[in-house]
Amino acid sequence: RAASASALGHASFRKLTVKRTKGRKPFLASPLPPVGEAPNWNVNVSHEGTWVVAASEPTCVVGIDVAELRRHKANGQPIDFHKVFKDQLTASEWRDVNSAGSDLDAQYEVFSRFWSAKESFIKARGDGMKFELGKVEFHWSALAGFPERTAYEGTAIVEGKAAPHWRFVQHRMPGERAHWTTVARGPVADVVDAQGEFSKNFRLPESKMQDGEWQAALLAPSPPCSVV
């Protein structure tokens, strides 16, 4: 509620109502912003390590995830991420991980970027871990205008098919301990909402948009998180 209140300019979050889908995705139920300003407004939050991050969207459905580069368990034992998460990444994604060289920390950073992207995708959709992460594959290119290896934009292949109506942007968070944040944007038609309450908030589906309107929304800037 606090994130929604801040993004929408409310003085207090107390009058805002937040509900959850059957898949446990939280969403703002009321009050919604004017249709002309944000017809499909939604927000998503993630936290891990030393960061809590939030992203909101006026038109697309949005998901966000932050991943801490912590390769060890609480008892200090290293995580055998190649074995534990074998089925969560595709063969192509594992090749990218292994291409980081023999240093396991470097490999784990690449792995964490893929993991963050997959989490942002299922959080945007709303089906959570019911979706098998190995069914979505990501491909990345450097995001223009940012220092090398600090920002990327990505596309997804879902169950073997390209998903051109989805876009993913990653940024490395500031600080000595590396964290990666991924923001996913996609069509409201892809939301998994068994009870239909969340879907009712989408007042401008892609099918009703004018030519070019959806593409403009999808390709709108996705800047790094503002630190507050």
Side-chain angles (χ1 to χ4, degrees):
R1 289 198 296 166
S4 298
S6 176
L8 295 173
H10 293 287
S12 170
F13 64 81
R14 299 186 184 279
K15 293 184 178 181
L16 275 64
T17 300
V18 171
K19 296 184 177 181
R20 288 181 180 268
T21 66
K22 187 177 180 180
R24 306 302 296 162
K25 177 183 174 72
F27 66 93
L28 178 67
S30 66
L32 298 176
V35 174
E37 294 179 8
N40 301 332
W41 195 87
N42 63 114
V43 64
N44 199 231
V45 178
S46 175
H47 60 88
E48 186 167 282
T50 56
W51 289 98
V52 178
V53 295
S56 62
E57 250 295 317
T59 306
C60 307
V61 66
V62 68
I64 189 170
D65 185 76
V66 58
E68 180 186 19
L69 305 190
R70 182 165 46 87
R71 197 174 59 83
H72 293 77
K73 302 176 184 178
N75 62 7
Q77 293 295 315
I79 299 170
D80 187 353
F81 59 96
H82 287 85
K83 180 179 179 181
V84 174
F85 302 107
K86 177 183 176 182
D87 296 331
Q88 311 303 317
L89 269 62
T90 68
S92 172
E93 291 169 336
W94 279 119
R95 283 195 294 272
D96 283 350
V97 170
N98 293 329
S99 71
S102 60
D103 182 76
L104 289 177
D105 287 337
Q107 289 187 20
Y108 193 75
E109 180 165 4
V110 180
F111 166 80
S112 294
R113 288 181 46 222
F114 281 119
W115 187 266
S116 175
K118 290 169 187 273
E119 288 272 3
S120 72
F121 177 64
I122 62 175
K123 290 180 69 180
R125 284 169 48 105
D127 47 0
M129 296 305 289
K130 291 182 179 179
F131 184 89
E132 296 178 23
L133 298 183
K135 290 184 176 181
V136 58
E137 176 178 294
F138 291 92
H139 295 269
W140 302 100
S141 58
L143 188 62
F146 292 90
E148 186 178 5
R149 297 181 181 178
T150 64
Y152 298 89
E153 58 182 339
T155 57
I157 297 174
V158 182
E159 299 186 73
K161 297 180 180 179
H165 288 187
W166 283 88
R167 182 177 181 238
F168 303 84
V169 175
Q170 287 188 330
H171 289 281
R172 193 181 192 277
M173 302 295 285
E176 293 183 3
R177 296 187 63 181
H179 292 64
W180 280 91
T181 295
T182 309
V183 173
R185 282 185 178 139
V188 298
D190 282 8
V191 166
V192 178
D193 181 20
Q195 297 169 335
E197 283 195 271
F198 181 37
S199 300
K200 289 191 298 186
N201 287 356
F202 300 136
R203 297 162 290 178
L204 184 61
E206 183 185 353
S207 60
K208 293 185 179 180
M209 294 184 186
Q210 298 178 1
D211 291 345
E213 191 174 1
W214 168 255
Q215 196 70 4
L218 190 65
L219 297 179
S222 185
C225 291
S226 299
V227 180
V228 297

